[in-house]
Amino acid sequence: MAELPGYSPSFKRPPGLLRVKRKRARSEGVCLNRLSSQSSPGQKIPGVRPFSPGLAPAAPRPRNPFANIENTYGSPRKKSCVRSLERCGQGLLDWDQRAGAKLRESLASQESRTRLVSEPDGAVFEDVDLFEKEADTLATPMDKREALEAPPSATEFPADWSLKTRLLFTSQLPFSWAEHLKAQEEAQGLSQHYRGMGQHLPRSISEPRSCTELRCAFQQSLVYWQYPSYSWLQLFPRIGVDRKMAGKCAPWSQDELLQKQILSEWSLSFTSLYNLLRSRLCPYFYLCTYQFTVLFRSAGLADSKAITALLSPTTRGLREAMKNEGIEFSLPLLEESRKRKNVNSSEVVSEGGLDTETEEGKLVHMDSEEDEDDDDDGGLSWLAEMGVQDDIRKPDTMSIKLRKERSEVRLDHRPESVALVEGGNTFTLLNFLINLKSLVAVAGPQAGLPPTLLSPTAFRGASMQTLKARSVNVKTRVRRGLKDLFSLEVTGPIMPHSLHALTLLLRSAQKGAFSAVFNTHSPTAIFNTASRTESTSSKESALQDLKDCGLHPDTLVQLLEPPVLGKLALRQLEMSDYKYTWKS
């Protein structure tokens, strides 16, 4: 049987009629594209939707002669929206007209002023600040906010007392000098760290890969000391890591005798570390538990006149236990909000009160409730004056106590709950933490495991550890193709001295141009809070007292400065032309 010319068996191929229709649609689309290219860019062809050249032009929708706002917008909400938009547009038009008239008047007055004011030789003075006043009046709040949030630029970045878990440095120059250290360079770097020898590198190094001093200093900046240390357990961070530690071998979890032995050894290491701190042979150290973290700092650091300890986050139970042991402490953020409330009370009243939705407003609101709750005991005296004290049921003592404690419980596990201990109370805090039963978990993956001690210097029972560093070369997309971008990643419990030491090395090796992104252990970001009392001694005497603590002199100078970050921590750091900019 002869097949027909337009016949396709089983519809495997389209028939000739469909092919003809397709060609016709393509030809019509080409014609429409030509018409649209010949017309102006802003002009549209009526009836044709964009990116659909094959559609036939549709007739325009006829206008309804009976349409108005009453029958077009059915719901009252739509009517109110349309009317408000019309009023807003009219208001903007009136404002524009007033601003234009004001600008024209200023121009006219300025022109007449320049005509009148002239020198004897005919030279006319022009006012260069003509638009300065107008720019201030027409400036938007967004412009002012962007100007305030511009990152600072300086030759040194502020000290960050928070613990970092990851650093990522990027640069246009390779980090080959940080790869494959030789055995002699690694040994020399460890020896320099143990002896506290700081390397002073030049401003710029032409060949970083062949610079032995740079590679040894890099190995030195990665060293830290930790107790306890078990190779199969990650002992930092300790807060919120129960899932990661689940299923790991913990032979002490069911053996009480072994737990007592481990805790006894830990107490000796903790005491040894505190004695080094008091002797100013250790600048600072961290104590990391499964509930909170403690930062102990030597006298002079962070512009303090005595040894300080910061605990975060705290709970009402912990604060009550510290009070019962006679430990004097303060809540610096809460006290700061109270002072700000007293200073700005007149402004708050004139402006109609403080917004309680903001964080500061919540703190002030909690303070006011606490002050009101102090008078609850005598708040029922007016019932006796009226003679109805026996007819009305009085609240019991427990409910009054719970109401008073409500504001204290609200602080639990919040950044505002950070507690500051100073002076001789830190020694009492040491004994309190050693004897605190809740310091060690009794159940879960961390049961029987003592807190982690982290220090930049050696102490009794501690093991020397190094941060993990690796360099990666990647391609980044630019306008004209791909460009090489080099990165250096450092992971582990990164303390403030390690962060500053690494930036000193990168400044010389990368020729003053690099950027960094930080991952902060969030419970420790609050450690940038300033202390209540400032040091009365000079920076030179404090630097002389801490010269044997093992830190680089430039790092020590940075850590002596008072904290300026507040409740925040550094998130980004960038160096360009040997100047820092940062974001927190």
Side-chain angles (χ1 to χ4, degrees):
M1 178 179 177
E3 295 183 358
L4 298 177
Y7 177 78
S8 58
S10 303
F11 299 97
K12 293 180 180 179
R13 293 188 299 271
L17 183 60
L18 293 179
R19 287 197 296 269
V20 172
K21 289 183 178 181
R22 250 180 227 172
K23 290 181 180 179
R24 186 180 302 169
R26 290 172 185 167
S27 62
E28 291 177 358
V30 172
C31 295
L32 291 174
N33 287 335
R34 290 177 180 175
L35 289 174
S36 61
S37 62
Q38 292 175 1
S39 60
S40 60
Q43 185 178 0
K44 297 182 180 180
I45 301 176
V48 179
R49 296 175 58 189
F51 305 103
S52 59
L55 297 178
R61 184 177 179 181
R63 179 180 176 275
N64 183 8
F66 303 101
N68 56 20
I69 193 173
E70 299 298 333
N71 58 14
T72 303
Y73 304 96
S75 62
R77 182 179 297 177
K78 290 184 178 180
K79 296 178 184 178
S80 60
C81 290
V82 172
R83 290 194 177 97
S84 62
L85 288 175
E86 291 178 354
R87 289 194 298 269
C88 182
Q90 185 64 29
L92 289 175
L93 182 60
D94 297 340
W95 181 86
D96 194 7
Q97 292 176 356
R98 291 194 300 269
K102 187 177 181 181
L103 185 58
R104 285 193 295 270
E105 291 176 2
S106 177
L107 287 172
S109 61
Q110 181 63 26
E111 186 176 358
S112 61
R113 195 187 316 163
T114 54
R115 288 175 182 174
L116 294 175
V117 181
S118 60
E119 285 290 327
D121 58 354
V124 178
F125 289 99
E126 294 183 359
D127 191 359
V128 294
D129 297 331
L130 174 62
F131 297 97
E132 184 177 357
K133 185 176 180 180
E134 293 297 331
D136 294 339
T137 56
L138 300 178
T140 58
M142 181 63 70
D143 299 335
K144 297 180 181 178
R145 184 167 65 251
E146 290 178 355
L148 291 176
E149 293 180 356
S153 177
T155 56
E156 188 62 87
F157 62 95
D160 188 353
W161 289 99
S162 62
L163 285 170
K164 309 295 182 184
T165 58
R166 179 175 174 267
L167 307 178
L168 182 62
F169 298 97
T170 57
S171 176
Q172 303 296 335
L173 300 177
F175 291 95
S176 56
W177 53 271
E179 300 175 349
H180 309 296
L181 298 180
K182 299 178 182 179
Q184 183 179 1
E185 294 172 343
E186 182 178 354
Q188 187 174 353
L190 296 177
S191 177
Q192 290 177 180
H193 170 81
Y194 187 75
R195 296 177 181 180
M197 299 171 57
Q199 291 289 337
H200 293 277
L201 300 174
R203 182 180 177 89
S204 178
I205 301 176
S206 57
E207 294 293 337
R209 185 175 177 84
S210 59
C211 183
T212 305
E213 291 79 6
L214 176 64
R215 295 163 67 88
C216 294
F218 178 68
Q219 175 65 32
Q220 179 183 357
S221 63
L222 299 179
V223 179
Y224 67 96
W225 297 84
Q226 174 181 324
Y227 183 86
S229 177
Y230 304 108
S231 58
W232 67 93
L233 285 180
Q234 183 180 355
L235 297 181
F236 177 82
R238 296 290 298 271
I239 300 177
V241 293
D242 288 347
R243 290 186 178 181
K244 294 182 180 180
M245 298 182 65
K248 299 295 181 66
C249 177
W252 53 81
S253 59
Q254 303 297 332
D255 192 343
E256 294 185 1
L257 183 61
L258 184 58
Q259 289 182 12
K260 292 181 180 180
Q261 184 65 26
I262 293 175
L263 190 58
S264 176
E265 292 294 331
W266 177 86
S267 302
L268 295 176
S269 299
F270 185 23
T271 306
S272 168
L273 193 52
Y274 181 82
N275 292 333
L276 290 173
L277 183 79
R278 189 167 56 179
S279 303
R280 300 189 178 185
L281 297 176
C282 174
Y284 63 89
F285 68 90
Y286 292 86
L287 184 147
C288 306
T289 73
Y290 73 103
Q291 289 181 326
F292 57 90
T293 307
V294 188
L295 167 61
F296 286 87
R297 289 186 297 215
S298 179
L301 292 185
D303 199 24
S304 61
K305 65 178 182 180
I307 299 177
T308 58
L310 287 168
L311 292 83
S312 175
T314 62
T315 60
R316 174 183 166 272
L318 179 61
R319 295 190 295 268
E320 289 293 335
M322 292 171 61
K323 288 180 181 178
N324 295 335
E325 290 294 327
I327 301 175
E328 297 180 3
F329 64 94
S330 62
L331 304 178
L333 292 181
L334 201 59
E335 292 180 358
E336 182 180 355
S337 65
R338 289 174 180 172
K339 291 179 181 179
R340 192 180 297 112
K341 172 190 172 183
N342 296 332
V343 171
N344 300 332
S345 58
S346 59
E347 298 179 2
V348 170
V349 172
S350 62
E351 294 176 1
L354 185 66
D355 185 9
T356 56
E357 295 300 326
T358 61
E359 188 173 0
E360 182 181 352
K362 290 180 180 178
L363 287 176
V364 175
H365 183 63
M366 290 162 54
D367 295 340
S368 61
E369 286 186 356
E370 184 178 356
D371 296 339
E372 291 176 0
D373 291 341
D374 293 340
D375 300 334
D376 283 343
D377 296 336
L380 302 177
S381 58
W382 59 277
L383 296 177
E385 296 177 359
M386 297 179 62
V388 293
Q389 68 274 13
D390 298 332
D391 300 335
I392 298 177
R393 181 182 177 183
K394 298 180 182 179
D396 54 348
T397 308
M398 182 59 65
S399 55
I400 295 176
K401 184 178 180 181
L402 291 176
R403 186 180 177 186
K404 288 183 178 181
E405 295 171 353
R406 181 176 57 181
S407 59
E408 296 183 3
V409 174
R410 287 184 183 179
L411 290 175
D412 292 355
H413 303 290
R414 294 184 58 186
E416 291 77 13
S417 66
V418 59
L420 173 63
V421 183
E422 296 179 315
N425 291 289
T426 56
F427 183 74
T428 311
L429 178 65
L430 167 75
N431 296 325
F432 169 75
L433 293 175
I434 291 177
N435 299 320
L436 185 63
K437 294 183 179 180
S438 61
L439 192 69
V440 180
V442 295
Q446 302 189 49
L449 189 62
T452 304
L453 298 174
L454 299 173
S455 171
T457 57
F459 59 97
R460 176 176 178 174
S463 59
M464 178 185 289
Q465 304 290 331
T466 57
L467 303 173
K468 297 179 181 179
R470 66 186 185 99
S471 59
V472 181
N473 303 336
V474 296
K475 297 283 187 180
T476 179
R477 187 177 298 277
V478 293
R479 292 181 179 179
R480 297 183 178 179
L482 299 176
K483 188 177 181 180
D484 291 331
L485 185 65
F486 305 94
S487 64
L488 176 65
E489 182 184 22
V490 181
T491 57
I494 304 167
M495 289 180 275
H497 76 283
S498 297
L499 174 60
H500 189 266
L502 288 171
T503 56
L504 291 178
L505 302 181
L506 292 174
R507 182 178 61 182
S508 301
Q510 307 306 118
K511 296 179 173 56
F514 66 89
S515 60
V517 180
F518 307 142
N519 288 356
T520 305
H521 185 43
S522 55
T524 63
I526 199 63
F527 289 159
N528 292 313
T529 304
S531 59
R532 294 183 301 174
T533 57
E534 298 181 355
S535 177
T536 56
S537 60
S538 61
K539 296 291 189 297
E540 290 76 11
S541 61
L543 188 63
Q544 184 67 22
D545 294 338
L546 293 169
K547 64 178 182 178
D548 298 329
C549 66
L551 297 185
H552 194 278
D554 295 340
T555 303
L556 192 56
V557 169
Q558 185 208 34
L559 298 180
L560 289 175
E561 296 296 327
V564 297
L565 296 176
K567 297 188 295 183
L568 304 178
L570 290 178
R571 295 183 294 108
Q572 297 178 10
L573 183 68
E574 184 175 358
M575 171 173 270
S576 179
D577 194 17
Y578 296 95
K579 290 186 178 180
Y580 286 106
T581 58
W582 60 86
K583 292 182 180 180
S584 58

